[in-house]
Amino acid sequence: MNERLDTHPTKLKYSNPRMNRWKSWRGNTMFAPNFDVSIYTDNCEKDLAKNIVDLIKENDVGMSSDVANSLNTTYQMQWSMYNIFSWENKEIKTLAEKIYSMYFLYMQTLNATPLEKNKLWIRGWAVVLSENESLGQHCHAFHENTYLSGNISLSDLDTTTDYWFPYLSLYFDYWRSQNTMGSMTLFPSWLEHKVDSNTTGTNRYSIGFDLFTEHSFNYIRENRNEGSEIQDVILLSKKFSDL
């Protein structure tokens, strides 16, 4: 974690220690900056994380993942052609339940209403960073239907996922989340983040995922653009109620 951001005066205090939220003060002029960054953290069992790594290896997905730096074509095609939550494995279904539980608590802590399972979609993919591979700074969505995304660490290595906060990180650096085995984060999809080069000598395994609302799917159906990779990727998603 980054002590400078964790002690910043805009960080709100919650009785739930898993909620990390920074919110701008009410502006006194129309030009005052406005931000609201919320990151929820949780964990899944290490045995579950290890079993999912075995599934990733068996299915041979997630390699050549230096997306933001090299735009590796093989990885890009692979990443956009499957949904790990469509796999018929008990471990994947257990993980989906844990994600929904985390989402439910995240929304409740924000005093927001969680969507029911039949109104919420998920798509996920594996990311395997080998020696010297990294993930450049990126976000998962920044349009009017943007919802939530998450990361799940499946390795116990000395690496972090680094989050870039609007207005704050330029002066107070990234907020860094330690990648311990089974650690999970949930955050707005527009929040930029990165992973520095893996110099541990061991492959770094993780899962990224996006959550979509019913409105997103209705929007795509009403504004279908055949051949749109972004729309095709979203349509790979599964409803939680179908998992």
Side-chain angles (χ1 to χ4, degrees):
M1 303 298 184
N2 187 306
E3 184 177 350
R4 295 180 69 193
L5 280 173
D6 280 325
T7 58
H8 193 273
T10 60
K11 185 174 184 182
L12 305 182
K13 295 182 179 179
Y14 284 88
S15 58
N16 183 348
R18 298 186 183 279
M19 174 59 75
N20 300 275
R21 187 182 183 187
W22 294 258
K23 194 176 189 315
S24 55
W25 298 318
R26 181 177 179 180
N28 292 321
T29 77
M30 63 183 291
F31 302 107
N34 182 40
F35 58 85
D36 190 347
V37 180
S38 55
I39 303 177
Y40 197 86
T41 61
D42 206 337
N43 293 279
C44 68
E45 290 79 5
K46 287 189 176 182
D47 285 345
L48 176 61
K50 291 177 182 178
N51 289 338
I52 292 175
V53 169
D54 290 339
L55 290 174
I56 291 172
K57 292 177 180 178
E58 290 172 12
N59 286 275
D60 193 26
V61 294
M63 297 299 290
S64 300
S65 52
D66 196 1
V67 182
N69 290 341
S70 67
L71 295 177
N72 182 280
T73 303
T74 302
Y75 176 79
Q76 285 284 74
M77 291 177 60
Q78 184 192 75
W79 173 86
S80 65
M81 293 175 65
Y82 76 100
N83 178 6
I84 199 169
F85 293 101
S86 294
W87 295 359
E88 293 295 330
N89 302 95
K90 64 179 182 180
E91 293 86 357
I92 297 298
K93 295 182 184 300
T94 299
L95 182 62
E97 283 295 325
K98 290 185 176 295
I99 290 173
Y100 185 80
S101 176
M102 176 172 65
Y103 161 76
F104 193 92
L105 292 172
Y106 175 56
M107 296 295 283
Q108 281 195 327
T109 306
L110 290 173
N111 292 319
T113 303
L115 296 175
E116 296 179 2
K117 288 185 176 181
N118 63 345
K119 301 290 185 180
L120 186 66
W121 279 256
I122 185 171
R123 193 186 80 87
W125 57 93
V127 179
V128 184
L129 297 181
S130 57
E131 183 72 8
N132 295 322
E133 285 193 319
S134 63
L135 283 175
Q137 188 161 318
H138 66 286
C139 72
H140 294 196
F142 52 87
H143 48 72
E144 67 275 19
N145 293 316
T146 296
Y147 200 52
L148 294 169
S149 296
N151 294 317
I152 304 168
S153 175
L154 303 175
S155 299
D156 214 354
L157 304 174
D158 187 21
T159 64
T160 60
T161 300
D162 306 336
Y163 297 89
W164 181 266
F165 295 177
Y167 304 107
L168 295 178
S169 285
L170 181 63
Y171 303 100
F172 298 98
D173 205 358
Y174 291 89
W175 188 75
R176 294 180 171 86
S177 179
Q178 192 70 34
N179 297 143
T180 57
M181 182 171 287
S183 61
M184 307 166 67
T185 58
L186 189 60
F187 51 88
S189 297
W190 54 260
L191 186 60
E192 295 183 12
H193 52 286
K194 69 176 180 67
V195 178
D196 286 337
S197 294
N198 177 15
T199 58
T200 66
T202 303
N203 282 351
R204 175 190 179 276
Y205 290 86
S206 64
I207 288 176
F209 63 89
D210 292 326
L211 302 182
F212 303 99
T213 67
E214 187 173 43
H215 177 81
S216 294
F217 275 80
N218 289 338
Y219 181 86
I220 291 175
R221 294 187 186 104
E222 295 168 5
N223 300 274
R224 187 73 174 104
N225 181 8
E226 296 295 337
S228 168
E229 182 180 19
I230 293 177
Q231 291 187 354
D232 290 344
V233 165
I234 293 175
L235 293 175
L236 290 172
S237 303
K238 298 266 292 186
K239 279 194 290 190
F240 275 92
S241 58
D242 293 336
L243 297 177

